[in-house]
Amino acid sequence: MIIKIFKNDEFASRAAADIIIAQINGKPNSVLGLPTGGTPVKTYQTLINACNEGRVSFKNVKTFNLDEYIGLHPTHEQSYRNFMNTNLFNHIDIVMENTHLPSEENAANYDEMINAAGGLDLQVLGIGGNGHIAFNEPGGAFDSLTHKQAIAEATIRDNARFFDGDIDKVPKFAVTLGIKGIMNARKIILLAFGKGKTQAIYDTVRGQVTTNVPSSILQLHPNCTLLIDEAAAGML
């Protein structure tokens, strides 16, 4: 596990974008695993700028998102499909048919879809304050594939900020790529910013590998890089 600490999220996000750009330029038909949430937004903005400047092209890239809420229409403001379209896909030269998100309908076949595309060359991750990656909450199995997942109360509280602060508006279930699916990626980069991620990052890097901290499994991945700001690295 490689750990890179940056002064702030701006520098870390640019570094993440540089890794993604290098991946695509080295393999134009790369298969990317992508996250949603506040963490990757600046990385996506940098990728948009790079694409518009001709420094990278997504024309042959395929993407598979980590997760999606259950119960929200794709056009809902807080659906992850809408998030990806708004924050990335609508502003780059990607073929929309090459972008995929899990759902209740395709959950049983989602990992097969990824394998048929050639497998994930690069998986980008965020991390929850309780160490969850995607919607793989503490206590879940390390050998899980794409599945329906009840969202932990702590995660619902964290995500309420996207739903006018109303936890009752936050979906209680999601479909998520499993831990095994994440670990199957050839390369992983994880971004974490802010004091709220300090304990999770410490447990990820220094703690025991345990299902109580899903992200701790990344210690066993052969090519995993953490891009974190000084605040998130506060306990290291």
Side-chain angles (χ1 to χ4, degrees):
M1 182 180 286
I2 299 171
I3 303 166
K4 296 185 177 181
I5 301 172
F6 298 85
K7 182 178 180 179
N8 55 43
D9 62 341
E10 186 79 33
F11 289 107
S13 296
R14 290 179 187 175
D18 287 343
I19 291 172
I20 296 169
I21 291 168
Q23 170 64 44
I24 296 171
N25 287 340
K27 184 183 178 185
N29 63 340
S30 289
V31 180
L32 305 180
L34 299 178
T36 54
T39 299
V41 168
K42 290 183 179 179
T43 294
Y44 291 159
Q45 291 171 346
T46 303
L47 292 177
I48 291 168
N49 293 337
C51 184
N52 291 336
E53 293 166 3
R55 293 189 285 119
V56 67
S57 173
F58 293 81
K59 288 181 179 178
N60 296 309
V61 170
K62 293 183 179 180
T63 66
F64 290 86
N65 264 79
L66 284 168
D67 41 30
E68 176 61 286
Y69 286 123
I70 290 176
L72 296 187
H73 191 274
T75 59
H76 188 284
E77 184 180 6
Q78 294 303 330
S79 78
Y80 287 163
R81 164 54 76 180
N82 183 67
F83 175 96
M84 292 305 303
N85 289 351
T86 301
N87 288 282
L88 183 62
F89 296 151
N90 287 346
H91 309 287
I92 57 177
D93 60 351
I94 199 164
V95 177
M96 198 62 74
E97 288 75 15
N98 287 338
T99 67
H100 308 86
L101 282 85
S103 67
E104 285 189 286
E105 291 73 26
N106 69 19
N109 301 316
Y110 199 65
D111 294 275
E112 294 178 11
M113 292 165 58
I114 294 173
N115 291 336
L120 295 172
D121 293 300
L122 173 62
Q123 175 66 65
V124 184
L125 295 174
I127 185 172
N130 62 0
H132 77 256
I133 46 179
F135 272 118
N136 295 284
E137 299 285 3
F142 278 153
D143 62 353
S144 62
L145 296 175
T146 302
H147 60 282
K148 181 178 179 179
Q149 173 71 48
I151 303 174
E153 289 187 15
T155 304
I156 290 173
R157 289 195 299 270
D158 287 344
N159 288 357
R161 67 187 188 277
F162 300 116
F163 293 84
D164 302 319
D166 188 347
I167 62 173
D168 292 330
K169 292 181 180 180
V170 183
K172 304 303 185 288
F173 293 91
V175 179
T176 183
L177 189 66
I179 295 291
K180 184 175 181 180
I182 292 171
M183 292 293 285
N184 282 339
R186 298 179 184 93
K187 184 175 183 177
I188 295 174
I189 57 174
L190 182 147
L191 290 76
F193 311 136
K195 292 182 179 179
K197 304 297 175 68
T198 303
Q199 185 67 54
I201 289 300
Y202 177 84
D203 292 339
T204 299
V205 175
R206 301 273 176 84
Q208 294 182 338
V209 176
T210 171
T211 57
N212 291 329
V213 183
S215 56
S216 64
I217 191 67
L218 297 176
Q219 294 179 29
L220 306 182
H221 194 276
N223 192 346
C224 179
T225 300
L226 273 60
L227 307 174
I228 59 180
D229 66 3
E230 292 178 352
M235 293 178 64
L236 296 181

